[in-house]
Amino acid sequence: QVQLVESGGGLVQAGGSLRLSCAVSGNIFRINVMGWYRQAPGKQRELVAVATSGESTNYADSVKGRFTISRDNAKNTVYLQLNSLKPEDTAVYYCNAEVFRPFDKRYIYWGQGTQVTVSS
């Protein structure tokens, strides 16, 4: 089994910052892409940022220049630094990992979600 455990969400005022973490553990051979998605009430889940094992990154236009994704491959952990937060960033943030299990195929796993609330 593979588990993704997120932390770091909370309530912050507009203009503030948060740092989200997501640690992946379990039966892992290799992790390829790791990413963050978010889902606001009444909206579909959307991509926020992704980082490949080669450390290339991609961001949603709405967060470019404000959010930064990074990885610590030795710890199987992905981070999301959220700066200059806006009320429209309020959502549940989910981490996501593409995991290759030993002698097995790849699987996509999701974290349980962490709430980020930005007050105006």
Side-chain angles (χ1 to χ4, degrees), residues 61-120:
D61 288 342
S62 59
V63 307
K64 282 181 182 176
R66 300 188 298 122
F67 292 6
T68 302
I69 188 171
S70 60
R71 293 175 58 156
D72 184 334
N73 291 325
K75 296 181 179 179
N76 290 335
T77 299
V78 62
Y79 304 96
L80 187 67
Q81 179 67 41
L82 296 75
N83 296 331
S84 302
L85 281 160
K86 304 175 181 180
E88 51 264 44
D89 294 318
T90 295
V92 178
Y93 284 70
Y94 297 91
C95 88
N96 163 287
E98 180 187 37
V99 177
F100 289 83
R101 287 163 49 173
F103 308 107
D104 203 345
K105 60 182 180 180
R106 72 182 184 99
Y107 295 86
I108 304 297
Y109 292 96
W110 291 88
Q112 78 283 0
T114 186
Q115 177 70 47
V116 172
T117 303
V118 184
S119 63
S120 57

Side-chain angles (χ1 to χ4, degrees), residues 21-83:
S21 300
C22 174
V24 184
S25 63
N27 191 20
I28 300 166
F29 173 66
R30 181 170 65 88
I31 301 175
N32 189 18
V33 179
M34 303 181 82
W36 289 94
Y37 292 71
R38 66 186 181 186
Q39 187 166 18
K43 295 188 177 181
Q44 289 188 332
R45 190 173 297 188
E46 63 176 1
L47 172 70
V48 176
V50 292
T52 69
S53 57
E55 299 187 0
S56 67
T57 58
N58 191 31
Y59 295 91
D61 288 342
S62 59
V63 307
K64 282 181 182 176
R66 300 188 298 122
F67 292 6
T68 302
I69 188 171
S70 60
R71 293 175 58 156
D72 184 334
N73 291 325
K75 296 181 179 179
N76 290 335
T77 299
V78 62
Y79 304 96
L80 187 67
Q81 179 67 41
L82 296 75
N83 296 331

